[in-house]
Short mmCIF file of all heavy atoms in Angstrom, two decimals:
data_model
loop_
_atom_site.label_atom_id
_atom_site.label_comp_id
_atom_site.label_asym_id
_atom_site.label_seq_id
_atom_site.Cartn_x
_atom_site.Cartn_y
_atom_site.Cartn_z
N LEU A 1 0.85 -1.21 0.00
CA LEU A 1 0.00 0.02 -0.01
C LEU A 1 0.88 1.24 -0.01
O LEU A 1 0.40 2.33 0.44
CB LEU A 1 -0.91 0.00 1.22
CG LEU A 1 -2.04 -1.05 1.24
CD1 LEU A 1 -2.78 -1.04 2.57
CD2 LEU A 1 -3.03 -0.79 0.09
N THR A 2 2.04 1.14 -0.51
CA THR A 2 3.01 2.25 -0.49
C THR A 2 2.35 3.52 -1.07
O THR A 2 1.83 3.51 -2.17
CB THR A 2 4.25 1.92 -1.30
OG1 THR A 2 4.90 0.74 -0.71
CG2 THR A 2 5.24 3.09 -1.26
N GLY A 3 2.40 4.59 -0.28
CA GLY A 3 1.88 5.88 -0.72
C GLY A 3 0.37 6.04 -0.65
O GLY A 3 -0.16 7.12 -0.90
N LYS A 4 -0.34 4.97 -0.31
CA LYS A 4 -1.81 5.03 -0.25
C LYS A 4 -2.24 5.68 1.06
O LYS A 4 -1.60 5.56 2.12
CB LYS A 4 -2.44 3.67 -0.36
CG LYS A 4 -2.13 2.94 -1.63
CD LYS A 4 -2.76 3.65 -2.84
CE LYS A 4 -2.54 2.82 -4.12
NZ LYS A 4 -3.15 3.49 -5.34
N SER A 5 -3.38 6.39 1.01
CA SER A 5 -4.00 6.97 2.24
C SER A 5 -5.07 6.06 2.76
O SER A 5 -5.83 5.43 1.95
CB SER A 5 -4.53 8.35 1.94
OG SER A 5 -5.52 8.33 0.91
N VAL A 6 -5.20 5.99 4.08
CA VAL A 6 -6.15 5.07 4.71
C VAL A 6 -6.90 5.79 5.81
O VAL A 6 -6.27 6.50 6.62
CB VAL A 6 -5.41 3.84 5.33
CG1 VAL A 6 -6.38 2.93 6.06
CG2 VAL A 6 -4.67 3.07 4.24
N LEU A 7 -8.19 5.62 5.83
CA LEU A 7 -9.03 6.12 6.93
C LEU A 7 -9.65 4.90 7.60
O LEU A 7 -10.36 4.13 6.97
CB LEU A 7 -10.14 7.03 6.35
CG LEU A 7 -11.19 7.52 7.41
CD1 LEU A 7 -10.55 8.35 8.47
CD2 LEU A 7 -12.32 8.25 6.71
N ASP A 8 -9.41 4.77 8.90
CA ASP A 8 -9.95 3.66 9.68
C ASP A 8 -11.06 4.20 10.60
O ASP A 8 -10.78 4.86 11.63
CB ASP A 8 -8.80 3.03 10.51
CG ASP A 8 -9.25 1.78 11.25
OD1 ASP A 8 -10.42 1.37 11.17
OD2 ASP A 8 -8.42 1.19 11.97
N ILE A 9 -12.31 3.98 10.21
CA ILE A 9 -13.47 4.53 10.94
C ILE A 9 -13.88 3.55 12.05
O ILE A 9 -14.14 2.39 11.80
CB ILE A 9 -14.65 4.75 9.99
CG1 ILE A 9 -14.26 5.75 8.87
CG2 ILE A 9 -15.87 5.30 10.74
CD1 ILE A 9 -15.31 5.90 7.82
N GLY A 10 -13.94 4.07 13.27
CA GLY A 10 -14.21 3.19 14.40
C GLY A 10 -12.99 2.34 14.67
O GLY A 10 -13.09 1.12 14.85
N CYS A 11 -11.83 2.99 14.78
CA CYS A 11 -10.55 2.28 14.78
C CYS A 11 -10.29 1.49 16.08
O CYS A 11 -9.36 0.66 16.11
CB CYS A 11 -9.40 3.27 14.57
SG CYS A 11 -9.23 4.51 15.87
N ASN A 12 -11.04 1.75 17.13
CA ASN A 12 -10.87 1.07 18.38
C ASN A 12 -9.41 1.24 18.84
O ASN A 12 -8.90 2.35 18.82
CB ASN A 12 -11.30 -0.40 18.28
CG ASN A 12 -11.66 -1.04 19.59
OD1 ASN A 12 -10.80 -1.42 20.33
ND2 ASN A 12 -12.94 -1.11 19.86
N ALA A 13 -8.70 0.15 19.15
CA ALA A 13 -7.33 0.27 19.61
C ALA A 13 -6.31 0.27 18.50
O ALA A 13 -5.11 0.14 18.72
CB ALA A 13 -7.01 -0.87 20.61
N GLY A 14 -6.76 0.38 17.24
CA GLY A 14 -5.87 0.67 16.13
C GLY A 14 -5.22 -0.51 15.42
O GLY A 14 -4.32 -0.34 14.60
N PHE A 15 -5.73 -1.73 15.67
CA PHE A 15 -5.11 -2.90 15.05
C PHE A 15 -5.03 -2.76 13.51
O PHE A 15 -4.01 -2.96 12.91
CB PHE A 15 -5.90 -4.16 15.42
CG PHE A 15 -5.43 -5.39 14.66
CD1 PHE A 15 -4.39 -6.15 15.19
CD2 PHE A 15 -6.00 -5.80 13.47
CE1 PHE A 15 -3.93 -7.31 14.54
CE2 PHE A 15 -5.55 -6.91 12.81
CZ PHE A 15 -4.54 -7.69 13.34
N TYR A 16 -6.20 -2.42 12.90
CA TYR A 16 -6.20 -2.36 11.43
C TYR A 16 -5.45 -1.18 10.89
O TYR A 16 -4.81 -1.27 9.83
CB TYR A 16 -7.67 -2.36 10.93
CG TYR A 16 -8.36 -3.65 11.13
CD1 TYR A 16 -9.33 -3.78 12.13
CD2 TYR A 16 -8.07 -4.73 10.36
CE1 TYR A 16 -10.00 -5.00 12.32
CE2 TYR A 16 -8.68 -5.96 10.54
CZ TYR A 16 -9.64 -6.09 11.54
OH TYR A 16 -10.28 -7.31 11.72
N SER A 17 -5.44 -0.07 11.62
CA SER A 17 -4.60 1.09 11.21
C SER A 17 -3.14 0.66 11.12
O SER A 17 -2.43 1.02 10.18
CB SER A 17 -4.80 2.25 12.20
OG SER A 17 -6.09 2.75 12.22
N MET A 18 -2.66 -0.03 12.13
CA MET A 18 -1.28 -0.45 12.15
C MET A 18 -0.95 -1.50 11.08
O MET A 18 0.13 -1.52 10.52
CB MET A 18 -0.93 -0.94 13.56
CG MET A 18 -0.88 0.21 14.52
SD MET A 18 -0.37 -0.27 16.24
CE MET A 18 -1.94 -0.92 16.84
N GLU A 19 -1.93 -2.36 10.80
CA GLU A 19 -1.71 -3.38 9.74
C GLU A 19 -1.58 -2.65 8.39
O GLU A 19 -0.80 -3.09 7.54
CB GLU A 19 -2.86 -4.38 9.71
CG GLU A 19 -2.75 -5.49 10.73
CD GLU A 19 -1.59 -6.45 10.45
OE1 GLU A 19 -1.03 -6.36 9.32
OE2 GLU A 19 -1.24 -7.23 11.33
N MET A 20 -2.35 -1.62 8.17
CA MET A 20 -2.26 -0.90 6.89
C MET A 20 -0.90 -0.15 6.82
O MET A 20 -0.29 -0.10 5.76
CB MET A 20 -3.40 0.13 6.78
CG MET A 20 -4.80 -0.47 6.73
SD MET A 20 -5.04 -1.69 5.34
CE MET A 20 -4.90 -3.25 6.30
N LYS A 21 -0.46 0.38 7.94
CA LYS A 21 0.86 1.05 7.96
C LYS A 21 1.96 0.01 7.71
O LYS A 21 2.95 0.28 7.03
CB LYS A 21 1.05 1.78 9.28
CG LYS A 21 2.34 2.53 9.39
CD LYS A 21 2.51 3.60 8.30
CE LYS A 21 1.84 4.89 8.63
NZ LYS A 21 2.22 5.98 7.65
N ARG A 22 1.79 -1.18 8.24
CA ARG A 22 2.81 -2.25 8.05
C ARG A 22 2.89 -2.58 6.55
O ARG A 22 3.99 -2.97 6.06
CB ARG A 22 2.41 -3.49 8.83
CG ARG A 22 3.46 -4.63 8.75
CD ARG A 22 2.99 -5.87 9.43
NE ARG A 22 1.89 -6.53 8.72
CZ ARG A 22 2.07 -7.28 7.64
NH1 ARG A 22 3.26 -7.45 7.10
NH2 ARG A 22 1.03 -7.85 7.06
N ARG A 23 1.82 -2.39 5.82
CA ARG A 23 1.84 -2.70 4.37
C ARG A 23 2.32 -1.52 3.57
O ARG A 23 2.22 -1.50 2.33
CB ARG A 23 0.43 -3.13 3.95
CG ARG A 23 -0.01 -4.47 4.46
CD ARG A 23 -1.40 -4.84 4.10
NE ARG A 23 -1.73 -6.15 4.62
CZ ARG A 23 -2.19 -7.20 3.92
NH1 ARG A 23 -2.37 -7.10 2.64
NH2 ARG A 23 -2.43 -8.38 4.49
N GLY A 24 2.83 -0.48 4.24
CA GLY A 24 3.44 0.61 3.54
C GLY A 24 2.58 1.84 3.30
O GLY A 24 3.00 2.76 2.61
N ALA A 25 1.33 1.83 3.83
CA ALA A 25 0.47 2.98 3.59
C ALA A 25 1.16 4.28 4.07
O ALA A 25 1.87 4.29 5.05
CB ALA A 25 -0.86 2.78 4.33
N GLY A 26 0.87 5.36 3.35
CA GLY A 26 1.48 6.66 3.69
C GLY A 26 0.72 7.31 4.83
O GLY A 26 1.06 7.10 6.02
N ARG A 27 -0.30 8.09 4.51
CA ARG A 27 -1.12 8.69 5.55
C ARG A 27 -2.15 7.71 6.10
O ARG A 27 -2.90 7.13 5.32
CB ARG A 27 -1.82 9.94 4.99
CG ARG A 27 -2.87 10.52 5.91
CD ARG A 27 -3.17 11.96 5.52
NE ARG A 27 -4.44 12.46 6.02
CZ ARG A 27 -4.63 12.75 7.34
NH1 ARG A 27 -3.71 12.54 8.22
NH2 ARG A 27 -5.79 13.29 7.72
N VAL A 28 -2.13 7.47 7.40
CA VAL A 28 -3.13 6.62 8.03
C VAL A 28 -3.78 7.41 9.14
O VAL A 28 -3.12 7.90 10.08
CB VAL A 28 -2.49 5.33 8.59
CG1 VAL A 28 -3.58 4.49 9.29
CG2 VAL A 28 -1.84 4.52 7.47
N LEU A 29 -5.11 7.54 9.08
CA LEU A 29 -5.88 8.26 10.08
C LEU A 29 -6.91 7.31 10.66
O LEU A 29 -7.73 6.75 9.95
CB LEU A 29 -6.59 9.47 9.44
CG LEU A 29 -7.59 10.21 10.34
CD1 LEU A 29 -6.98 10.77 11.59
CD2 LEU A 29 -8.32 11.29 9.52
N GLY A 30 -6.85 7.15 11.97
CA GLY A 30 -7.85 6.35 12.70
C GLY A 30 -8.74 7.24 13.50
O GLY A 30 -8.26 8.11 14.22
N ILE A 31 -10.07 7.08 13.31
CA ILE A 31 -11.01 7.91 14.07
C ILE A 31 -11.91 7.03 14.90
O ILE A 31 -12.24 5.91 14.51
CB ILE A 31 -11.83 8.84 13.14
CG1 ILE A 31 -12.74 8.02 12.22
CG2 ILE A 31 -10.93 9.75 12.36
CD1 ILE A 31 -13.74 8.84 11.42
N ASP A 32 -12.32 7.55 16.01
CA ASP A 32 -13.28 6.88 16.91
C ASP A 32 -13.94 7.90 17.76
O ASP A 32 -13.36 8.96 18.03
CB ASP A 32 -12.52 5.81 17.75
CG ASP A 32 -13.46 4.69 18.21
OD1 ASP A 32 -14.36 4.97 19.06
OD2 ASP A 32 -13.31 3.55 17.75
N SER A 33 -15.16 7.64 18.21
CA SER A 33 -15.86 8.58 19.05
C SER A 33 -15.52 8.39 20.54
O SER A 33 -15.84 9.20 21.36
CB SER A 33 -17.40 8.40 18.89
OG SER A 33 -17.80 7.07 19.19
N ASP A 34 -14.81 7.27 20.85
CA ASP A 34 -14.45 6.94 22.22
C ASP A 34 -13.02 7.30 22.51
O ASP A 34 -12.08 6.72 21.95
CB ASP A 34 -14.68 5.44 22.47
CG ASP A 34 -14.60 5.04 23.93
OD1 ASP A 34 -13.76 5.58 24.64
OD2 ASP A 34 -15.44 4.23 24.37
#
């Protein structure tokens, strides 16, 4: 995912956000209401 941007809606503790970053994503934003 090199250079790709990722939005993780309802990211909770960020597992999926970090997995996307591990795959090379550039900008990763995790949002949650909690």
Side-chain angles (χ1 to χ4, degrees):
L1 291 173
T2 301
K4 299 294 185 180
S5 58
V6 177
L7 174 64
D8 185 1
I9 302 173
C11 64
N12 203 281
F15 174 88
Y16 290 106
S17 295
M18 289 182 279
E19 279 291 348
M20 297 303 102
K21 183 59 84 169
R22 184 185 69 79
R23 291 176 179 234
R27 170 161 162 71
V28 178
L29 171 61
I31 65 172
D32 205 291
S33 59
D34 191 321

